[in-house]
Amino acid sequence: MEPSAAPSWQPFIIDSVNCDPNKAAPLQVLRWEDADEYSLRSWDFQTGEYKKEYNIDYFDGHVNAVAMWERADGNNYAIGSFGGNLSWFSKKKRINIGSLVYDTPNAGTVIGNDYYYARSPGKDEKNCGIYFVEDIAGEPRFETTSNLCISKSVYKGSVLDFVAANEDDGDRYGTSSTYVDDNEAEGLYLFGLGEQHEVLIVKIEDKFPVAYAVVDSVIDWRSKEDDDEPSDDSGYGAGYSFIGPTEQRFFFTSNQGFGMFELQTPISVPDDCWNTGTNTDDHKECKDAPAATLTWMGASAVTNYNDGLSCPVTTVFGADSASVSDLF
């Protein structure tokens, strides 16, 4: 039998992002040095500097909760909230696909074909839910019910961005790693950092965020001198996930310019550490779990009004997960 023909992919509704698998440049949408307009900038992991890719000069409102969607043909497209409207965007334009629950969400990520977002979860219990939009590149369905509320007492401040962890991605990328050690063989999760680098882990089942846990972390400052280690609180407004040959890897940058940090996995979460439901009276931080580790990977600039996204697949890290330390 003759092999079937390769799919003939049609142009998407917006220009794709130029993603080079030989690079691992994190991207941020931000108001650089508090400029009036937002820009897309790439972060250089060798120098810690940001390079402007383009200005978003066609929109003058709030832009945040940005993420990257990868089509099955390997092309990548940027998506995010523009004034509470979920929009595909590029250097030239944006295309709205529908209204979000929040006018100003600031944490966003994509899992498969679904977009997840929230507004400062942990800041208060009025805007504590995490929502999703299903089938963003087809016929989007905007879920307006959240069955989970993040308590304002489980970590300092709020989580300002998410990254997605997929333990069930072996068929697509050939990885088979465990990112959350919770006695389940497979799972989908969101990771975020509180202002004292507490780690938020949100469990996804049947599309819905159904439970969350919060564990402490310690920072491995590697080569930094003790008197150069910041001790203040910081928001972590930009998160990135990269898929290498064997595993996903997860990074966050500090809004205060403390640097870029890698969240080491797996993270251990005992069964009794999961919080569920919208009544947060008995929600708590997990004190029984081992602390997670954040590894300082390099310098970063002070940023504000910012959010992170990244091209997902890279060959830069190589098969040896320790080798990335030599690159930062």
Side-chain angles (χ1 to χ4, degrees), residues 237-272:
Y240 323 91
S241 173
F242 295 101
I243 300 166
T246 61
E247 62 181 347
Q248 280 183 265
R249 307 199 44 197
F250 311 100
F251 301 84
F252 293 88
T253 45
S254 157
N255 287 5
Q256 297 298 320
F258 296 163
M260 171 176 272
F261 300 84
E262 180 174 8
L263 176 62
Q264 303 295 337
T265 57
I267 302 169
S268 179
V269 181
D271 290 343
D272 60 358

Side-chain angles (χ1 to χ4, degrees), residues 153-268:
S153 65
V154 290
Y155 49 75
K156 179 70 177 293
S158 59
V159 164
L160 302 178
D161 200 12
F162 294 134
V163 294
N166 185 355
E167 292 180 341
D168 188 23
D169 59 356
D171 289 344
R172 185 163 188 181
Y173 296 114
T175 64
S176 57
S177 296
T178 296
Y179 306 114
V180 178
D181 184 2
D182 59 355
N183 299 316
E184 295 189 21
E186 297 177 346
L188 299 175
Y189 306 91
L190 305 176
F191 295 149
L193 297 183
E195 291 185 11
Q196 293 181 340
H197 48 267
E198 309 96 329
V199 182
L200 170 69
I201 307 108
V202 179
K203 183 183 294 188
I204 308 293
E205 291 181 355
D206 297 326
K207 309 282 188 176
F208 283 86
V210 297
Y212 76 92
V214 176
V215 303
D216 284 333
S217 73
V218 294
I219 296 180
D220 177 4
W221 290 101
R222 297 170 60 229
S223 59
K224 266 190 175 296
E225 299 292 337
D226 289 347
D227 56 0
D228 288 335
E229 298 176 7
S231 59
D232 297 336
D233 297 342
S234 173
Y236 292 86
Y240 323 91
S241 173
F242 295 101
I243 300 166
T246 61
E247 62 181 347
Q248 280 183 265
R249 307 199 44 197
F250 311 100
F251 301 84
F252 293 88
T253 45
S254 157
N255 287 5
Q256 297 298 320
F258 296 163
M260 171 176 272
F261 300 84
E262 180 174 8
L263 176 62
Q264 303 295 337
T265 57
I267 302 169
S268 179

Side-chain angles (χ1 to χ4, degrees), residues 108-121:
T109 194
V110 168
I111 302 178
N113 294 320
D114 305 323
Y115 171 81
Y116 288 82
Y117 68 99
R119 183 166 74 186
S120 300

Side-chain angles (χ1 to χ4, degrees), residues 90-113:
S90 68
K91 179 179 180 179
K92 300 177 182 178
K93 62 180 179 179
R94 70 183 179 98
I95 297 176
N96 286 346
I97 62 175
S99 298
L100 301 170
V101 170
Y102 299 126
D103 291 336
T104 56
N106 55 7
T109 194
V110 168
I111 302 178
N113 294 320

Side-chain angles (χ1 to χ4, degrees), residues 12-13 79 86-88 95-100 113-115 132-143:
F12 196 56
I13 56 176
I79 192 169
L86 185 60
S87 303
W88 299 105
I95 297 176
N96 286 346
I97 62 175
S99 298
L100 301 170
N113 294 320
D114 305 323
Y115 171 81
F132 67 93
V133 182
E134 188 177 15
D135 193 18
I136 54 176
E139 298 182 2
R141 185 185 72 83
F142 288 71
E143 179 59 53

